[in-house]
Every structure is written in structure tokens, then in C-alpha cells.
Amino acid sequence: MKFSEVIGQEEAQARLVQLVHENRVPHALMLCGPQGCGKLALALAFASYVLGERDANGQSILASESAILNAEAMLRNWQHPDLHFTYPVIRPTGTSSDHKMISDDFGKEWRTLLNDTVYFSIDQWLECMKATTQQAQIFEAESDNLTQKLSLKSSQGGYKICLIWLPERMNQVCANKLLKLLEEPPSQTLFLMVCEEPDRLLETILSRVQRIDIPRIEDVAIEQALIQQRGIEANNAHYIARIANGSWLRALQTLSADNENKQFLDTFKLLMRLAYMRNIRSLKKWTDSVAGFGREKQRRMLTYFSRMIRESFMYNFQQPELVYMMQEEEDFTKNFARFVNEANVIEIEELLATARRDIGQNANAKIVFFDLALHLIVLLMRK
């Protein structure tokens, strides 16, 4: 994969290439940024470049033409023997407790998804693994598997690259074992991490990596990509790019006719109306309904709710350039926004953040959502 296939992020691309040209590639590099900014795409392009794929100018770090062609052929389907992937996986229902789950158990699904797109979310990955209510994580056995793989010599004589997607999803034992690998890295090994929530990682791991923060994609880059890659008319591309707010994933979701956000909007509208009406009985039914979602979907829903609260608060300022909503969302916000104000917006945001954290920690969903609904009854009355 070439850097030219990455949407925007020219500054980050130049910085990564410079590390190679100046022979200053660290043994551990972490790309951090919000979902949809292209961190994984950058990491894959960088890994491909380090392993010998030619850049947009036809240049490669390999000297032999045959070696370059060989590297590009292996990278085309992400089958290069010196590129190792680590990513969160689930334990499928019915899997023996004796089996230690590792990334390779879903290697076929992972490469199929990469060949389809290098811009995807954890939710899309869960769908590829056919997850139901399971939460994906990187299990203890993964670090043992990595240690074994990286102890071998490089197949092609260059770097061995371990690309870790979402390292914050490592369990505690795996994280501690990875720390030992980072403290004493095998020869010619590059750990390339792609992280969305670095605060969830051990401080000792963060101290042993060189961190590069990847910003949101500029609206102009998203707009151009929509026009060139998706054939979207210029005016629509401009509108979608603005709504996407720096996320290519959100731009693609906006294009989808049956995207999940429509369901979340209906769920949000119902919650707010029932809370305003103080309809406890119906709120209990609402709670039972959303408690049936998988935990990952519940967390996505709460993130969406949080965005709608922020957008409703900004709507009150009557500054259209500050509001990032689809038309259907704005239609609801016109009447709802007045209930989100300086007296309650911070507490509502904290309430949603707490609920999202509790769901992520496997709290009882019915209790979490009913508590959320009851608190909203009080908060929406504040002026």
C-alpha cells in the first residue's frame, strides 16, 4: 500500500518517510488519533515502505528490482512473512476453554477486510468475526505467540514489523508481557502500534514508544476523496465532508442509506421525549430494548448520544458554521436544543461518559441505562 492511497495526512506521511531516510526509525512507534483519521492506513503504508514497496515516485529502500517486485507481490495480499499483525479478537461461542485465542485465529477474516478497505472501525471488525455480544480483546497468548515469531530471523533480511491495532484492548497479562518485548526488542524489529485510547495503556508502555499524534483529516481532503473515489457531486461532497468532521469513516457512514446512526437518532429522540414526560413505565421499556444490543453497539450508541448533546448545545448559539448535523438530526434539534444549556450540559456529558465506561466494564446494562434515564429526567428540567 502506497502513501498516495492515504486520504490527507501529508504532514504525517512526510514525517514517517523522513524517519526512514534519516535512518532514525525507532524500535517502537505509536500512531494515535481519533477513529476515522487514517491511522491504520498510515501504518500500513509505512510498513509497506519499510519492507520495500515503491513510493509514488517509484523509489524503494531496496536496491534489487527483483527484491522490490517480490516484496510488492507479498504485500499486495498482506502476506509478507516479515509483517506480523496483532489485533483484538473474540472467543467464539463454543470454543474450548483449553484453546488460547490469538490474532491468527482470525487471520483469513483480517486479510479479507484489509483487502476490502484499510479504513474500518472495531465495529466492522466485530461484524467480520461474526461477534454477537462478545467484546474483542488481545489475549495473553498473543504476547507468547509474538515472542516466538519475533525470535526468528527476518525472512527477507530487513526489518521484522509487528503492527498492533488497538493495543489498548490488551488484557493486563498480555500488556505486561509486551512491555518486556519493548524493553528488550529483538534485533531489527519495529513495533508499530495504532491506538485510539492511549490513556488506557500502561504508562510504562507509553514511555517506551515514540508517539505521533494523527489529527482529524482536513475537510478539503475528505471532499476531494469523495469526488474522486466515490463520484459524489461537489456540493454534496462539501456537505458530507463538513458533517464527517475529519473522519473518513463518518463520511462513508453518511453515504450509507441504512446506516446505524438513523437507529441511534430514533433511540435518542425517544429517550429524550420520555424523560421530558417523566414516563417511568415507558422508560423501563426503553431500557429493556437497548439492553438487548451488544455491548459494543451500546458504547457506539452512547457516543452518538454524546455527540447529539454537544451539537444541541452548540445549536443554541445560532452559529451555523459550528453545527455538524444531518438534516434529520437538525430537524429534531430545532425544538430540543433549548433543553440543553449551561446549567446541565456538563452533567449530561459526564452522565453519558460514565454510562459508556460502565458498559465497557461489563456492568449490568439494564441498571446502567435505567439509571441514565432517571438522571435525565432531572437534568432536562434545569434552566
Side-chain angles (χ1 to χ4, degrees):
M1 176 180 173
K2 293 180 171 57
F3 281 113
S4 58
E5 299 174 58
V6 178
I7 298 171
Q9 306 297 4
E10 288 80 6
E11 184 176 339
Q13 294 181 38
R15 182 175 177 183
L16 291 171
V17 171
Q18 187 177 15
L19 289 175
V20 178
H21 288 173
E22 296 178 356
N23 197 27
R24 294 190 297 108
V25 178
H27 78 279
L29 190 63
M30 178 182 289
L31 305 184
C32 299
Q35 189 179 88
C37 70
K39 304 178 299 297
L40 179 59
L42 276 169
L44 291 168
F46 182 59
S48 298
Y49 184 65
V50 170
L51 291 174
E53 184 167 89
R54 281 173 280 218
D55 60 18
N57 298 319
Q59 302 298 313
S60 169
I61 63 172
L62 300 178
S64 165
E65 179 68 17
S66 61
I68 296 172
L69 291 173
N70 185 44
E72 291 180 334
M74 292 185 291
L75 288 167
R76 197 167 294 124
N77 292 311
W78 305 111
Q79 296 283 0
H80 197 292
D82 293 328
L83 177 58
H84 308 288
F85 291 107
T86 288
Y87 37 84
V89 296
I90 61 169
R91 177 178 290 278
T93 303
T95 303
S96 169
S97 59
D98 294 331
H99 179 73
K100 306 300 182 182
M101 298 300 301
I102 59 175
S103 299
D104 289 347
D105 289 325
F106 287 93
K108 180 180 178 181
E109 290 84 353
W110 175 257
R111 288 177 172 81
T112 298
L113 184 56
L114 283 183
N115 286 326
D116 183 46
T117 177
V118 294
Y119 288 87
F120 56 85
S121 65
I122 183 65
D123 311 310
Q124 290 167 283
W125 172 229
L126 285 167
E127 186 177 343
C128 285
M129 291 189 290
K130 296 179 171 58
T132 52
T133 60
Q134 303 102 318
Q135 293 196 72
Q137 64 175 295
I138 301 175
F139 295 92
E140 174 187 355
E142 187 66 31
S143 54
D144 298 328
N145 187 47
L146 270 182
T147 301
Q148 181 180 0
K149 286 179 177 179
L150 299 178
S151 65
L152 303 175
K153 289 185 177 180
S154 167
S155 170
Q156 305 300 306
Y159 273 100
K160 293 172 290 183
I161 298 179
C162 175
L163 196 158
I164 306 177
W165 184 57
L166 303 184
E168 61 267 36
R169 286 180 175 258
M170 290 185 292
N171 67 22
Q172 190 69 31
V173 177
C174 181
N176 286 326
K177 289 185 176 182
L178 176 65
L179 177 60
K180 293 182 179 179
L181 277 174
L182 293 175
E183 290 173 337
E184 300 178 11
S187 175
Q188 276 193 301
T189 298
L190 167 61
F191 290 93
L192 189 54
M193 302 184 189
V194 180
C195 183
E196 289 179 0
E197 299 176 278
D199 291 343
R200 292 176 56 187
L201 284 169
L202 296 175
E203 287 292 336
T204 44
I205 288 181
L206 293 174
S207 67
R208 284 165 175 78
V209 302
Q210 180 174 325
R211 173 172 169 172
I212 297 179
D213 289 313
I214 309 300
R216 61 187 288 278
I217 306 172
E218 293 185 359
D219 290 353
V220 173
I222 292 180
E223 187 175 335
Q224 291 175 346
L226 287 169
I227 295 172
Q228 296 170 6
Q229 298 182 20
R230 301 284 168 162
I232 305 300
E233 190 269 333
N235 287 337
N236 288 338
H238 178 75
Y239 177 72
I240 293 172
R242 187 167 178 271
I243 295 295
N245 195 27
S247 170
W248 179 245
L249 286 177
R250 191 175 298 161
L252 296 181
Q253 289 171 357
T254 304
L255 289 176
S256 175
D258 57 345
N259 69 78
E260 193 176 55
N261 283 353
K262 290 187 176 181
Q263 180 187 12
F264 289 163
L265 175 59
D266 291 338
T267 308
F268 178 79
K269 288 159 64 175
L270 181 59
L271 171 63
M272 295 305 162
R273 285 168 177 162
L274 293 175
Y276 175 74
M277 295 166 60
R278 303 188 180 192
N279 190 332
I280 304 296
R281 185 184 297 275
S282 294
L283 281 173
K284 182 63 171 62
K285 292 180 180 179
W286 179 91
T287 297
D288 293 340
S289 175
V290 298
F293 296 168
R295 289 191 178 272
E296 294 293 346
K297 184 174 181 178
Q298 289 167 352
R299 294 180 72 196
R300 296 196 302 273
M301 181 185 72
L302 288 166
T303 298
Y304 177 84
F305 286 5
S306 183
R307 182 178 75 82
M308 284 300 296
I309 291 297
R310 289 195 299 271
E311 295 300 334
S312 296
F313 182 64
M314 297 306 296
Y315 188 89
N316 290 325
F317 291 94
Q318 298 181 358
Q319 299 287 333
E321 67 275 9
L322 299 178
V323 179
Y324 296 87
M325 289 187 287
M326 296 297 290
Q327 189 59 52
E328 191 175 355
E329 294 171 338
E330 190 170 343
D331 290 342
F332 173 72
T333 303
K334 287 176 182 177
N335 295 318
F336 171 71
R338 60 194 174 94
F339 295 102
V340 182
N341 50 63
E342 293 89 343
N344 61 16
V345 64
I346 294 177
E347 287 190 59
I348 295 177
E349 279 288 306
E350 291 175 347
L351 183 65
L352 291 168
T354 299
R356 189 174 186 276
R357 181 203 65 197
D358 291 344
I359 290 298
Q361 294 177 351
N362 292 321
N364 185 297
K366 289 187 178 181
I367 294 176
V368 171
F369 286 112
F370 194 52
D371 179 71
L372 169 68
L374 293 179
H375 277 85
L376 282 171
I377 291 175
V378 177
L379 291 173
L380 289 179
M381 293 298 106
R382 289 189 185 172
K383 294 182 180 179

